[in-house]
Amino acid sequence: FKISENLLKFLLKNKLISENFIDKSNKNEKIIKEFKSIDIKKGFYKAGEKFLFSNLDLKIKKGEKLFISGPSGSGKTTLINIICGITKLYKGTYKINSYNFIDIKNFNGLFTICSQNPIILNRSIKENIILNKKFDKKYFDYVVKVVDLNKIFTKGRNINSKISPDTLNFSGGEKQRISIARALYHIKPILIMDEATNGLDEKSENKIIKEIIHKYKKNTVIYISHNQNLKDNFTKKLLLE
């Protein structure tokens, strides 16, 4: 979507697409200038006949580092989808800074999401990281250092090396490093990492997480993983059963 932003503007400008698809009916829209907290109260979520959550109370404050774990099917991804507004609670309330999430105009601008299966474009490493954002060499180098991206600069590779369409010239762990670097380059108040380091060796995984927690103290980090060895890096833990 970021890559297609200019195309969308062109289509709208030349009246090749209608603006009627935009929902303008909400007159109670709020703008979050500074994120303070996420608050889910008495949350229920039903999948078929089964309740994944019952009376879930979860509060995440600015700057907190939350570790979420649990077996497959326990609702980790569903909870993340609820937090990101993709899925709605069956029952209960979800508020950010005391506002109902559906009333927040810049809701999507609060989150950066880094998944375990990143989308890698047929472009250079640099372009995959910065997308449509202006290139800031100083911050780019900072991000490269945090994720230790120099690990993938072997066999003549550099930031301008192109990734092949099938990405066979990059391993799963290397693609995850690029994805994490992209997330940090575009970081928002809340960083969500969903199994985002599981393709890395344990030493690298632990090092990157420690770096992110240390360097991004003001950002809220929500990290989902099966690896219980990582939980001690976080200030808050949530186990889903």
Side-chain angles (χ1 to χ4, degrees):
F1 289 119
K2 286 282 187 185
I3 293 294
S4 304
E5 186 176 8
N6 289 332
L7 173 61
L8 179 59
K9 287 177 181 176
F10 172 84
L11 293 172
L12 288 168
K13 181 180 177 182
N14 291 280
K15 303 188 185 307
L16 298 173
I17 189 172
S18 171
E19 290 191 63
N20 292 334
F21 67 89
I22 300 172
D23 181 10
K24 299 178 181 178
S25 60
N26 190 348
K27 301 186 187 303
N28 298 313
E29 286 183 334
K30 310 291 183 185
I31 293 178
I32 300 290
K33 293 183 179 179
E34 181 186 355
F35 166 73
K36 294 178 181 177
S37 67
I38 284 172
D39 200 359
I40 295 175
K41 286 186 177 178
K42 295 182 179 178
F44 287 77
Y45 184 79
K46 194 175 184 182
E49 297 300 315
K50 177 187 175 185
F51 278 102
L52 288 179
F53 312 131
S54 298
N55 268 322
L56 175 68
D57 287 332
L58 177 63
K59 186 155 190 172
I60 310 167
K61 296 178 182 178
K62 176 183 176 180
E64 281 190 329
K65 310 296 186 276
L66 172 65
F67 179 84
I68 300 176
S69 188
S72 297
S74 60
K76 299 186 299 296
T77 299
T78 299
L79 178 57
I80 292 306
N81 286 342
I82 289 168
I83 290 173
C84 294
I86 298 168
T87 302
K88 290 185 180 179
L89 287 167
Y90 174 75
K91 193 166 66 173
T93 61
Y94 171 28
K95 294 184 177 183
I96 295 181
N97 288 18
S98 77
Y99 300 129
N100 193 320
F101 83 97
I102 62 172
D103 293 331
I104 299 171
K105 187 174 183 179
N106 61 330
F107 179 82
N108 292 330
L110 299 174
F111 300 93
T112 302
I113 304 169
C114 189
S115 71
Q116 62 178 317
N117 297 309
I119 295 172
I120 301 296
L121 306 172
N122 181 22
R123 298 187 178 209
S124 69
I125 294 172
K126 173 185 168 184
E127 289 172 307
N128 264 280
I129 292 171
I130 69 172
L131 298 179
N132 69 333
K133 200 170 184 179
K134 186 178 178 181
F135 180 60
D136 180 337
K137 187 179 185 306
K138 185 177 179 181
Y139 187 61
F140 184 89
D141 291 343
Y142 180 83
V143 165
V144 164
K145 189 174 180 181
V146 171
V147 301
D148 203 7
L149 202 64
N150 288 323
K151 288 265 188 183
I152 74 173
F153 295 149
T154 58
K155 301 175 184 176
R157 283 185 193 158
N158 56 55
I159 63 170
N160 295 310
S161 296
K162 193 172 183 180
I163 302 175
S164 68
D166 52 15
T167 67
L168 291 176
N169 58 336
F170 283 78
S171 69
E174 289 173 332
K175 287 186 282 185
Q176 284 192 333
R177 282 184 195 269
I178 293 169
S179 175
I180 297 165
R182 176 195 293 162
L184 295 178
Y185 196 81
H186 295 262
I187 194 141
K188 303 293 193 302
I190 305 160
L191 172 63
I192 294 176
M193 302 181 72
D194 187 0
E195 302 279 5
T197 57
N198 64 358
L200 301 172
D201 63 88
E202 193 169 344
K203 184 178 178 182
S204 296
E205 187 177 30
N206 202 47
K207 182 180 178 183
I208 289 174
I209 290 166
K210 283 181 182 294
E211 280 289 292
I212 291 173
I213 289 173
H214 175 68
K215 305 275 189 185
Y216 293 87
K217 288 186 172 70
K218 292 183 179 179
N219 297 84
T220 300
V221 178
I222 302 173
Y223 184 87
I224 301 94
S225 178
H226 287 94
N227 188 353
Q228 295 292 322
N229 294 328
L230 301 171
K231 67 181 180 182
D232 290 339
N233 293 306
F234 296 82
T235 55
K236 201 171 200 174
K237 290 95 175 173
L238 174 64
L239 176 63
L240 298 176
E241 297 177 345

